[in-house]
Amino acid sequence: MSVAAVRVRRSLEAATVPYPMILGVLGAAVVVSVVVATGIGPVRIAAGEVTSILLHHLGGGGDTAANADLIVWRLRFPRVLLGAVVGAGLALAGAVVQSVVRNPVADPYLLGLSSGASVGAVAVITTGVSALGAMTLPVAAFAGAAAAMAVVLLLARHRGRLLPLRLILVGVTCGHLLGGVTSFMLARAENSSAQQQIIFWLLGALSGANWSVLGAPSAVVVAGCFWLLLRARRLNVLVLGDEASAGLGVNASRLRLELLLVTTLLVGTVVAVSGGIGFVGLIVAHLARMLVGADHRRMLPVTALLGALFLVWADVAARMLITPTELPIGILTAFIGVPFFLLVMHARGLAAEGSP
Amino acid sequence: MKRGLGAAMLLLALTGCGGTAPAASEAGVTVTDCAGKNVTFPQAPRRVVVLDGYAAQSMVRLGLGDRITAVGFTKPFSVEKGPIKAELARLTVLTADSMPTTELVAAQRPDLVLTSASTFGGAPGSPKESDLSTMDAKGLAACVPGGPLTTLAPTYDFLLRIGKVFRVETRAEQLVAELKTREQAVTAKAGAGPKPTVLILPDNPVAGQPVPTSSPSTIPSAVVTAAGGQNVFADVTGTRVQVSPEKIVERDPQIIVVVTDYSFAKLKGQALVDSIRANPLLANTSAVRSGRVLSVSQYLTQFPSPLNVDALEQVAAGLHP
């Protein structure tokens, strides 16, 4: 075992300390990361200036004409916040889907959600429809995700019940079909800019963030998080299986339906503004379980915080790694996420995890 | 050398005066963007960030070099041979090898962001329309309509729209007339003769893989068509389309036009042409057997720019020796 792994193991063993402390440390880390990440970018701005701009605005000050103000407050800060929101949303959605289908390799994309969103977005990009102005693309992406979910739910229902294995099979199949549709539209795209735009969108990106796109996803992610916390106890029961759930007075099919609708809402709104950022939904929930165990009441808040933390830093790397050019963030989530995940898994031992 | 530079600067000063003087009676002008929306410019832009070298060439050819605050992706400058080369070299460069990212553009506080691509935000990290409005800048892009192209109309349209926005319509019309005269000279000469079939290749085809080529809706295909050739894949839609190697053999192009200098091609310039000549996949085509493999740089043909006409003359000379 490597030295680093031993160190991580020690720190993780030490982390069997009180849960509120973990939550507090992670919460503080998110806040600090957001501020630090706002200070990092291709245009160099002194740390002092960044903090004074942030304090000025958070204290209710208006926009100023300064260059730094434009870059820090109107371009960079909304982007960093969007990263945090998107990360939290995707991580939560991943955790829920894994529990709903009782499969540890499930993620929000497994059920065809992101493929549906892609078809919606790509259809708008290739046809050039702009009926709703700047909102056309996000609305189309959300509509695509919702439609895909509706079809999957309809096909996966069997004698009024919603069974995990059927859900996965139908979801994967529909996802494949929709992926094919996207690739077809990509190949037929009439201009190269649209093609480039589609490719970047499929890989996911936080560029183009501004204050006006931040509202909807933030509201949905915060509301979704609270709603899920209210359902956390029942989620714990759901993981035990349909019979056990019934014995404990929980209607598994009905709960699954509710949870999937909330997941669609989460993934749809998030993917609509950020494109298909992969891996976050798959991996963050596992990290959270390794840290605080599989009890949803404990792991859901940690999942959200870890997701936010992870994506904020992945985006910093996307912006800075090959500066002045930018990388699609999907590449970074894999680059940073995989080694980190393997390190933690190695140090902690996956057996210790209560998988869903 | 020095004298040439002085002359160029004098020329620039003269055209600058002639073109932009009537600022006194400035009324707002409105142009349509690529999505068909109207964009109004209450006054001529003063601080312009140009995202790519193609568009910078258009600006400088229109005598608007002094309005350029900074420029990105300057690789297309390498093919410029005209009198504007010195002025292009003096421009402030944000990022030489790629389009600049949103923050770098915003730091210049532009009132106009210009690109020869047909949308904003295509290149990773480059500003999107929403970013432009965040930084209070307008955007102007070169529009390529999407259907089959047989002339350089998109280039002329872009130059005329820039001319209108900067209130230098006369100069833009002059430049377009000049370019059109050259285009017509080429098409008139080519019009009478036979129309050889042309395969456009951006890279050396690899065995077992579909072959990328330029569809009829691209500027390279427009150049080939206007030069009196016919795109052997005139029936495909899309832009960077991929065709089957079998179809290439079946359609047997008489000429191959290699569009060089794309970033994705491993070999550049003549080396690429030589490797295509030696490619066994193409060995049986009439083009390779008769040795008619031409090349033209993507910096002349990829996006609308005045240099498209240089490409046109170059390709025409190869098609009709």
Side-chain angles (χ1 to χ4, degrees):
Chain A
M1 192 187 288
S2 72
V3 181
V6 172
R7 205 172 298 143
V8 172
R9 163 173 279 193
R10 282 217 194 95
S11 67
L12 285 178
E13 272 161 6
T16 32
V17 281
Y19 175 72
M21 202 159 135
I22 294 180
L23 213 55
V25 168
L26 278 175
V30 169
V31 173
V32 171
S33 293
V34 163
V35 175
V36 173
T38 307
I40 305 173
V43 173
R44 196 177 292 264
I45 295 168
E49 203 175 351
V50 173
T51 27
S52 73
I53 289 169
L54 289 181
L55 288 175
H56 165 80
H57 283 281
L58 294 174
D63 290 354
T64 64
N67 247 1
D69 187 81
L70 166 68
I71 289 170
V72 169
W73 184 252
R74 278 152 75 194
L75 288 168
R76 220 186 265 166
F77 193 51
R79 179 172 174 156
V80 172
L81 288 181
L82 187 67
V85 168
V86 167
L90 287 176
L92 276 176
V96 173
V97 172
Q98 283 168 6
S99 300
V100 166
V101 299
R102 293 170 63 202
N103 191 318
V105 294
D107 75 353
Y109 299 160
L110 186 76
L111 299 179
L113 281 177
S114 87
S115 319
S118 302
V119 170
V122 172
V124 166
I125 296 173
T126 50
T127 55
V129 176
S130 56
L132 300 166
M135 287 304 286
T136 315
L137 190 66
V139 168
F142 178 72
M149 194 73 247
V151 170
V152 169
L153 285 176
L154 213 65
L155 294 175
R157 264 183 109 79
H158 183 64
R159 293 182 189 152
R161 291 176 68 194
L162 212 48
L163 302 172
L165 186 63
R166 232 178 129 88
L167 257 177
I168 295 177
L169 284 176
V170 174
V172 168
T173 318
C174 288
H176 234 76
L177 175 67
L178 293 169
V181 172
T182 309
S183 304
F184 179 73
M185 286 199 283
L186 182 62
R188 302 277 291 180
E190 276 290 343
N191 73 53
S192 61
S193 302
Q195 231 168 7
Q196 252 184 331
Q197 223 179 316
I198 295 167
I199 292 167
F200 202 63
W201 198 87
L202 289 179
L203 287 170
L206 295 170
S207 59
N210 57 41
W211 287 110
S212 63
V213 303
L214 202 57
S218 311
V220 168
V221 168
V222 171
C225 189
F226 279 111
W227 189 88
L228 288 173
L229 276 178
L230 291 178
R231 288 284 179 279
R233 201 186 277 271
R234 290 209 222 166
L235 256 169
N236 288 341
V237 176
L238 187 66
V239 172
L240 301 174
D242 284 28
E243 283 77 18
S245 305
L248 291 164
V250 171
N251 181 341
S253 290
R254 197 196 144 90
L255 181 59
R256 274 192 198 107
L257 185 67
E258 279 179 24
L259 289 167
L260 287 178
L261 289 180
V262 172
T263 312
T264 309
L265 192 63
L266 272 175
V267 176
T269 35
V270 163
V271 168
V273 292
S274 68
I277 299 176
F279 202 67
V280 185
L282 174 66
I283 236 66
V284 173
H286 287 289
L287 278 178
R289 284 192 203 98
M290 289 178 201
L291 274 177
V292 295
D295 181 348
H296 285 87
R297 286 169 298 180
R298 285 158 62 90
M299 69 80 88
L300 283 177
V302 172
T303 304
L305 289 174
L306 277 176
L309 202 58
F310 179 61
L311 213 59
V312 163
W313 285 107
D315 187 47
V316 168
R319 282 186 282 144
M320 299 309 292
L321 215 58
I322 56 164
T323 185
T325 325
E326 219 167 86
L327 279 171
I329 193 167
I331 297 175
L332 272 306
T333 52
F335 274 9
I336 301 177
V338 173
F340 183 62
F341 178 75
L342 291 178
L343 189 68
V344 175
M345 189 173 83
H346 184 59
R348 191 78 168 169
L350 192 58
E353 177 205 359
S355 65
Chain B
M1 176 66 211
K2 239 182 191 160
R3 225 175 21 182
L5 199 79
M9 279 169 74
L10 184 67
L11 191 73
L12 175 77
L14 286 173
T15 54
C17 283
T20 53
S25 61
E26 263 183 2
V29 297
T30 304
V31 292
T32 36
D33 69 5
C34 302
K37 267 194 322 245
N38 283 337
V39 186
T40 303
F41 293 83
Q43 67 235 349
R46 310 225 150 253
R47 297 183 57 80
V48 186
V49 171
V50 185
L51 296 183
D52 55 82
Y54 312 93
Q57 273 156 329
S58 298
M59 284 287 284
V60 174
R61 283 291 284 273
L62 289 170
L64 297 167
D66 57 338
R67 305 296 181 89
I68 299 178
T69 309
V71 58
F73 190 64
T74 52
K75 284 184 170 181
F77 292 174
S78 62
V79 296
E80 178 65 60
K81 294 192 182 72
I84 63 166
K85 198 170 174 63
E87 193 182 354
L88 289 175
R90 277 197 304 274
L91 296 175
T92 309
V93 179
L94 284 180
T95 49
D97 298 338
S98 60
M99 280 199 183
T101 47
T102 305
E103 276 189 22
L104 294 175
V105 174
Q108 300 292 328
R109 298 312 284 256
D111 53 2
L112 175 69
V113 178
L114 194 72
T115 178
S116 275
S118 47
T119 45
F120 286 95
S126 69
K128 301 179 173 185
E129 299 257 8
S130 60
D131 294 319
L132 297 187
S133 52
T134 304
M135 60 180 94
D136 303 319
K138 300 261 168 53
L140 198 62
C143 312
V144 178
L149 281 177
T150 52
T151 65
L152 296 176
T155 308
Y156 305 141
D157 167 69
F158 189 42
L159 290 169
L160 291 174
R161 279 190 300 135
I162 297 177
K164 197 169 173 199
V165 166
F166 286 91
R167 282 78 167 164
V168 291
E169 287 102 327
T170 333
R171 187 163 166 79
E173 278 157 19
Q174 269 169 13
L175 177 60
V176 167
E178 238 171 76
L179 297 172
K180 270 190 177 159
T181 314
R182 285 168 60 196
E183 183 185 355
Q184 273 151 14
V186 170
T187 46
K189 191 169 167 244
K195 296 208 177 301
T197 52
V198 177
L199 171 67
I200 306 172
L201 285 179
D203 199 357
N204 195 13
V206 179
Q209 283 179 22
V211 179
T213 185
S214 296
S215 85
S217 60
T218 59
I219 304 277
S221 179
V223 164
V224 163
T225 316
Q230 42 173 321
N231 188 341
V232 74
F233 288 104
D235 53 339
V236 299
T237 52
T239 43
R240 209 168 285 163
V241 291
Q242 305 200 312
V243 294
S244 146
E246 290 177 20
K247 277 281 174 199
I248 295 178
V249 174
E250 186 193 65
R251 296 191 176 186
D252 190 20
Q254 293 167 290
I255 295 177
I256 291 175
V257 171
V258 184
V259 183
T260 57
D261 298 330
Y262 280 113
S263 55
F264 52 77
K266 225 187 302 171
L267 297 170
K268 309 286 172 205
Q270 191 56 38
L272 178 62
V273 176
D274 292 342
S275 72
I276 285 175
R277 278 180 195 274
N279 192 325
L281 284 177
L282 303 166
N284 281 331
T285 58
S286 304
V288 171
R289 277 188 290 140
S290 60
R292 301 189 72 186
V293 181
L294 320 172
S295 77
V296 61
S297 170
Q298 69 117 329
Y299 301 137
L300 297 175
T301 55
Q302 178 59 13
F303 289 113
S305 105
L307 294 180
N308 298 157
V309 181
D310 293 42
L312 178 64
E313 290 167 345
Q314 194 181 323
V315 171
L319 293 187
H320 309 282

